[in-house]
Each structure stands twice: as structure tokens, then as C-alpha cells.
Amino acid sequence: MTRHEVCALDELEPGQMRAVDLDGTPIVVIRTQSGDLHALRDRCPHMLASLSKGLVLENVNSPSIGHYELDDDRFVVRCPWHGYEFDVSTGVCEADPRRAKVRSYPLVVDDGTIYLER
Amino acid sequence: VIEWHTLCAPHAAQNQLTSLICQGAFDRNPDLKVVMLEGGVVWIQWLMWRLDQQYREFRNVVPWVKRLPSAHIRDNVRASSQPTTEVTPQEFERLVELSGTEMIYMFATDYPHYDADTAASVFPKSMSKDLRDRVRYRNALEFYPKLAGFTG
């Protein structure tokens, strides 16, 4: 497994994303509002938009019909084109987990620097 | 009369079904069974495709809906055949195969209206036996709780 430097941890604020080209593979590195780091393939499987141009959001959940609540421990990246949402930690689209999913990649932080491992 | 006959019942069925799904009726009542009558059946495939597409894009506005709308329809909704749309049995079978909806359809006549259907005209022997049997009786046997135990 090879390490690929992304950027310094403090260059990526909570809620921000960064697009990375890893030997021709588009990857989005995501830092959630709670500070966690994740990496997904930077292409929505619907129409291949760059997820890195979308938004990182708390997942919208519902305790009962007609009521909304936000998960503060679960984040999604929302596609800028049509709104498909992918869990940042698994790459799975909750609306259609069987058909809509993006690959996730391992990350490490070493001495204040984010690395992709591949 | 053309406008009424073309749109009235199928439009009503689609409106009602869309609301039942989006308002969470099947999530709150997983055993709820709904049969749409006298609206025909060849709109249901499009509605499933369209609702699924919209759900994939806007699940966050109906987060109480926990499954794809088409899954709710396959499990909780049936539609009766009358009025038939004049497609051939082969065209209908292809549509059923494309949409995975063989469990949806149930035969109805609309008798004694002038435009009633007969089983022989709607499901001729040129249609596959499996689909004919499903539409003529097997889907109903599986769907109506009071028919549990009947084998046809």
C-alpha cells in the first residue's frame, strides 16, 4: 500500500472538501463538521458529477412522519447536480443502497498531514 | 368523454398512490394493502420509475419514507386490469418484465359497463401461462388475507 500526500490537516477546515487526482482516479477528501476525515471516489454514479463541488451535510433523519431531525454523528455528501446523498464513511446512498454507491478509500493523518492509502 | 376516460381514473390513482407513499402511509402501516380499481395498469411502471428517481434525489424531504417507492408498491399495492390499454400480450409481457411488476396486476371486468373487459380478451392464450395465471387469480390469492389458504 502506498501513501499519497493530500494536504496538511489544518488546510482542510471542518465542512470542507478537497478534490484529489490519484494517478488519474478522482477522489474527494472530506472533513465533516465534527472533524472526521473520509475519502470517496469523486464521481456521482448517477451522471458523474464531481461530489467535491457539492456540500457536506448532517444526514436528515425522521423520528416520526412529518418530523425532521439532523444526525449530528452521521454526515453525507450531497451531489451538486441532482442531490444524491452518499454517507461519507461508507459511500452508500441511503435512498437506493443497492444501486447507488461510491467507493471509499482509507486515509491516515501522520504528523499533521493527511495521506490517502492505496 | 375522451378526456374523462383517458385521464380521470389513472390520474386519480397516481395522485392517491403518490400521496400514500410520500406521506408515509406504508412506513407507518407496513401491512396496509391498497388496490387501485378501474384505472388500468400501464401507468404504474412509469410511476414507479419516476417516484424512485425523485426519491433518490430528494429523500431528505421525506426522511420518514425508508424504502424506494417501487418497493412499497410491489409489497403493498395492486392494480386491476380494467380498462385495458390496447397493447398486445407480447408488448404487455415485455413491459412487465422490464419493470419487475408481475405481482401487481389483478383481473377486473368493470361489468356491466359498456367498455367491460373479458378474461379471454385481456389475457389470451398467447400470453405466457405464468403471467395469465398470476393476473387471473394467483396475485389476488397472495394479496388478500381472507383468501389465504386457497390454492386456485
Side-chain angles (χ1 to χ4, degrees):
Chain A
M1 190 173 283
T2 312
R3 279 188 174 185
H4 303 267
E5 184 175 333
V6 176
C7 63
L9 179 60
D10 58 14
E11 287 180 52
L12 200 58
E13 297 288 324
Q16 285 188 337
M17 293 185 277
R18 176 172 293 229
V20 179
D21 183 319
L22 189 58
D23 301 329
T25 301
I27 291 174
V28 53
V29 176
I30 302 158
R31 191 168 189 195
T32 67
Q33 283 79 347
S34 62
D36 296 336
L37 289 166
H38 303 276
L40 300 175
R41 190 174 177 87
D42 192 15
R43 288 288 181 271
C44 180
H46 181 213
M47 291 191 179
L48 305 181
S50 294
L51 297 173
S52 55
K53 293 188 171 68
L55 294 167
V56 186
L57 301 165
E58 291 170 310
N59 184 59
V60 180
N61 211 330
S62 172
S64 59
I65 291 167
H67 296 95
Y68 298 86
E69 68 182 17
L70 296 176
D71 292 331
D72 56 11
D73 59 350
R74 188 169 168 218
F75 292 86
V76 295
V77 56
R78 186 158 211 262
C79 179
W81 283 5
H82 300 97
Y84 276 44
E85 292 178 336
F86 300 91
D87 185 302
V88 294
S89 60
T90 63
V92 171
C93 173
E94 182 171 318
D96 194 353
R98 194 173 62 85
R99 287 181 52 183
K101 184 178 180 186
V102 290
R103 186 173 168 186
S104 62
Y105 298 85
L107 282 168
V108 291
V109 177
D110 190 356
D111 197 23
T113 300
I114 304 170
Y115 295 92
L116 276 164
E117 291 191 324
R118 190 181 173 192
Chain B
V1 70
I2 292 175
E3 293 175 33
W4 193 89
H5 262 155
T6 302
L7 294 176
C8 181
H11 255 197
Q14 290 178 73
N15 288 341
Q16 292 160 6
L17 201 45
T18 300
S19 288
L20 284 167
I21 290 167
C22 292
Q23 303 303 319
F26 299 117
D27 292 277
R28 179 181 285 184
N29 309 288
D31 295 329
L32 177 65
K33 294 176 186 293
V34 174
V35 181
M36 314 309 288
L37 295 173
E38 210 177 335
V41 294
V42 293
W43 47 267
I44 204 158
Q45 309 81 13
W46 176 86
L47 188 71
M48 292 166 81
W49 288 324
R50 182 64 174 164
L51 276 171
D52 281 1
Q53 178 204 6
Q54 290 293 293
Y55 182 69
R56 280 190 284 267
E57 296 182 8
F58 298 108
R59 183 210 63 88
N60 59 351
V61 301
V62 287
W64 45 85
V65 179
K66 300 299 185 187
R67 307 172 69 200
L68 278 171
S70 62
H72 281 308
I73 290 176
R74 287 190 182 91
D75 285 352
N76 298 80
V77 179
R78 298 293 178 263
S80 70
S81 55
Q82 197 280 334
T84 58
T85 305
E86 291 179 347
V87 295
T88 67
Q90 289 70 34
E91 288 168 340
F92 182 66
E93 285 199 74
R94 182 79 180 119
L95 192 55
V96 171
E97 185 185 343
L98 278 171
S99 55
T101 51
E102 66 279 0
M103 74 297 288
I104 301 279
Y105 314 104
M106 300 196 298
F107 174 66
T109 66
D110 200 30
Y111 177 84
H113 287 173
Y114 82 95
D115 56 348
D117 296 332
T118 66
S121 68
V122 181
F123 306 105
K125 290 186 176 172
S126 57
M127 184 178 282
S128 76
K129 183 175 188 317
D130 182 64
L131 187 56
R132 284 181 76 219
D133 287 349
R134 275 189 167 278
V135 180
R136 289 194 303 168
Y137 66 94
R138 272 178 42 211
N139 285 346
L141 286 182
E142 290 170 10
F143 196 65
Y144 286 106
K146 287 186 176 177
L147 296 181
F150 286 85
T151 59

